[in-house]
Amino acid sequence: MPRKSATLMNALDSQCGIARSLGVLSDSWSFLLLREALFGKRTFAQFRDSLGIASDVLSTRLNTLVEHGVLEKVPYQEQGHRTRDAYELTAAGNELKLVLVAMQQWGDANVPRGPGVSMRPVTRDGQERVRAVLVGARGQNVGHGDVDFVRVGDTDEAPAGPSES
């Protein structure tokens, strides 16, 4: 297994929100677990069976998502069985819908689709498809070609200039 760079090892302490996000959502399993939670999966067995993920990997990923406030454990008990934990999205976990919608849009536009079932983000009543868009401070839609990333200092409120990367 390749060694992690210092940037990834210290991601949670980074000034960069992208790096901190990767400190929590560090692998593809995290995103697939979020997708399954959005589809209504709640239990360890449901996640394991729907994804075919190894139990030790699943346990580690679920614990990380709980530790960082993306999921929360909620006790449940089936008739005649011991109490177990289910996993539910927190408010922070629900905010990741935006990220998953953007990933789904990008995948549909840029990666050829194979056979099988896909996901489609829709309004709660199922009447309208939704999409992720970039919106400026005044509420106007902004095209991705009109967005740059800039570096800012710890106390800077305004952009410091074009990003180096």
Side-chain angles (χ1 to χ4, degrees):
M1 179 173 189
R3 288 185 9 206
K4 282 188 178 180
S5 71
T7 299
L8 290 178
M9 287 178 55
N10 300 314
L12 291 171
D13 296 325
S14 176
Q15 293 300 312
C16 175
I18 295 170
R20 288 192 314 275
S21 297
L22 289 173
V24 175
L25 306 168
S26 61
D27 63 21
S28 55
W29 289 121
S30 297
F31 291 98
L32 293 174
L33 286 167
L34 288 169
R35 181 195 68 189
E36 293 305 307
L38 290 168
F39 280 141
K41 303 290 191 284
R42 298 181 62 237
T43 68
F44 189 94
Q46 288 173 332
F47 288 124
R48 184 194 61 225
D49 295 347
S50 66
L51 293 172
I53 183 174
S55 292
D56 60 332
V57 174
L58 176 57
S59 181
T60 299
R61 294 313 314 143
L62 287 171
N63 286 335
T64 297
L65 293 172
V66 168
E67 176 185 347
H68 294 290
V70 176
L71 295 174
E72 65 182 344
K73 289 183 180 183
V74 178
Y76 78 99
Q77 186 174 20
E78 293 177 352
Q79 185 80 20
H81 293 280
R82 67 179 172 85
T83 301
R84 297 176 185 259
D85 288 324
Y87 299 87
E88 293 185 359
L89 289 166
T90 62
N94 270 298
E95 286 181 27
L96 287 165
K97 285 179 184 177
L98 175 65
V99 175
L100 293 174
V101 168
M103 290 174 70
Q104 182 269 335
Q105 280 176 216
W106 183 87
D108 280 356
N110 296 288
V111 181
R113 184 186 320 209
V117 177
S118 181
M119 86 171 206
R120 174 171 293 151
V122 295
T123 56
R124 176 127 323 167
D125 63 10
Q127 298 300 308
E128 290 184 68
R129 187 167 182 169
V130 297
R131 61 188 182 93
V133 296
L134 298 166
V135 178
R138 291 170 287 172
Q140 78 283 11
N141 286 1
V142 179
H144 67 273
D146 293 322
V147 175
D148 288 326
F149 281 80
V150 296
R151 294 194 186 277
V152 294
D154 289 339
T155 59
D156 293 341
E157 290 296 322
S163 173
E164 298 165 10
S165 56

